[in-house]
Amino acid sequence: MSASAQLTNLLGLSVPQLESFCGEIGEKPFRARQLARWLHKNGVSEFAGMTDLAKSLREKLPAVACVQTPGIIHDNTARDGTRKWLFDVGQGNAVESVFIPETDRGTLCVSSQAGCAVNCRFCSTGKQGFARNLSAAEIVAQLWLANRLLGADTKGERIVTNVVMMGMGEPLLNYEQLVPALKLMLDDHAYGLSRRRVTVSTSGVVPFMDRLSQDCPVALAVSLHAPNDNLRDELVPLNKKYPLRELLDACLRYLDHAPRPFITFEYVMLQDVNDRDSHIQELIGIARHVPCKLNLIPFNPFPESGLLRSRDDRISRFVERLSAAGIVTTVRKTRGDDIDAACGQLAGDIKDRTRLAERSQSEKIVQWVPGRTS
Ligand code: SAH
Ligand code: SF4
């Protein structure tokens, strides 16, 4: 599956883009749909195996196109069945995808960037800084590879039923590559996932929330993490650019187009930082303004953060008081943390492998918190 620079990597082309590509090489538009089905539904990468394409096209394709995926550096399965892959995206950069099997669904957590420029206080991806945007092909390849490695058969039996853009990176800061990738996830000739089963998670890049609502309104999760501007400025530095009032108004505008009638607010629980009773009151105020569900995420510690996970009784108090106020509140289960696959533990710099290994040793000490769900 190697490629030279002149070849077009078909994995990243939405079906309309594949149609244009077919036009450019003198083929009819319907060939695009056939190609999409072979590539994405059947997971076939060899043109010779695409048996219902005209023989002349099968012979033409290798000179102009390729199907190229990142290499696999690690493939680990946790005790709870969570599976994590580390993919090589070149020049010392790597990104991670995590598959979370549940009885009624299989969720793939997909990365959008190598590193992240937003630099949230509690996030190990943020601590790495920003390396580069992934291409649409590199985003889709994570889903393509996961289906293949999980053993989806060639009839396209669904193993990954849901995609969440909650891996490394801020998806809305890689908008041009994100949208064709999302469109392929939704397209019936490709992965055919419903808009409710594809979620973009954002730290709150307001202008691109508006654009997404027009271009590809999938389910939206917003990383709130603080209920007032002073605290959010500290935890999510992007708040200085797009403060809460603007973010919440953008959520309301998004809801006019969203596939579900609520926004999911994510709220990482940090001991003595954002877990006080006064924060509960402020959160109730926000939830009165924006129809939402609240997903509390027990913080996954890493030593450099200097932060601790909220105590279990604080998390329970949040759930009780917010639920009593009529807000649907859930606590995210920590999955796959024995293989560093939990939220905010994704670290993808291969140059940094040694440090990563040291880190997971020290995490065994830090992660003593009782009541872990994994
Ligand atoms: N950049 C996007 C999506 C990737 S982060 C965003 O911020 O929404 C996915 C989720 O993991 C976010 O809600 C993020 O806040 C959360 N997260 C990051 N670091 C974490 C940590 N150490 N513990 C728990 N959750 C974390
Ligand atoms: Fe980037 Fe999201 Fe991590 Fe913030 S939480 S640094 S936006 S990946």
Side-chain angles (χ1 to χ4, degrees), residues 166-177:
M166 291 185 186
M168 296 167 65
E170 169 49 56
L172 294 186
L173 290 179
N174 184 15
Y175 191 78
E176 300 305 330
Q177 301 301 312

Side-chain angles (χ1 to χ4, degrees), residues 226-339:
N228 62 62
D229 279 321
N230 279 345
L231 186 54
R232 199 162 188 272
D233 282 351
E234 268 178 52
L235 296 179
V236 184
L238 193 68
N239 195 66
K240 293 181 196 137
K241 197 159 178 192
Y242 306 114
L244 268 178
R245 163 55 70 175
E246 282 181 38
L247 176 61
L248 299 180
D249 285 349
C251 289
L252 287 175
R253 291 192 298 276
Y254 195 90
L255 280 172
D256 289 339
H257 307 273
R260 297 173 186 271
F262 58 86
I263 301 287
T264 302
F265 285 133
E266 297 164 276
Y267 195 94
V268 64
M269 296 290 297
L270 302 165
Q271 182 173 311
D272 296 332
V273 175
N274 65 356
D275 66 352
R276 296 175 201 273
D277 283 352
S278 61
H279 299 131
I280 300 178
Q281 274 322 113
E282 288 174 311
L283 276 173
I284 292 172
I286 288 177
R288 294 225 164 99
H289 188 58
V290 179
C292 63
K293 287 189 179 176
L294 200 61
N295 193 210
L296 305 176
I297 314 175
F299 172 60
N300 292 310
F302 56 101
E304 309 92 300
S305 73
L307 296 162
L308 294 172
R309 175 184 295 190
S310 297
R311 287 180 10 207
D312 285 358
D313 61 327
R314 289 309 304 163
I315 299 179
S316 304
R317 185 164 172 86
F318 263 58
V319 174
E320 273 159 33
R321 295 218 18 219
L322 291 162
S323 304
I327 304 162
V328 177
T329 306
T330 49
V331 181
R332 184 173 298 170
K333 280 207 308 190
T334 298
R335 298 284 305 252
D337 58 349
D338 53 320
I339 56 165

Side-chain angles (χ1 to χ4, degrees), residues 26 41 83 115 155 317:
K41 276 206 180 307
R83 190 158 165 189
K155 291 186 210 82
R317 185 164 172 86

Side-chain angles (χ1 to χ4, degrees), residues 113 115-127 166-171 201-203 223 225 235-238 344:
Q113 300 180 311
C116 183
V118 179
N119 196 15
C120 299
R121 268 281 312 275
F122 48 81
C123 176
S124 73
T125 304
K127 294 284 157 280
M166 291 185 186
M168 296 167 65
E170 169 49 56
S201 175
T202 181
S203 53
S223 289
H225 305 313
L235 296 179
V236 184
L238 193 68

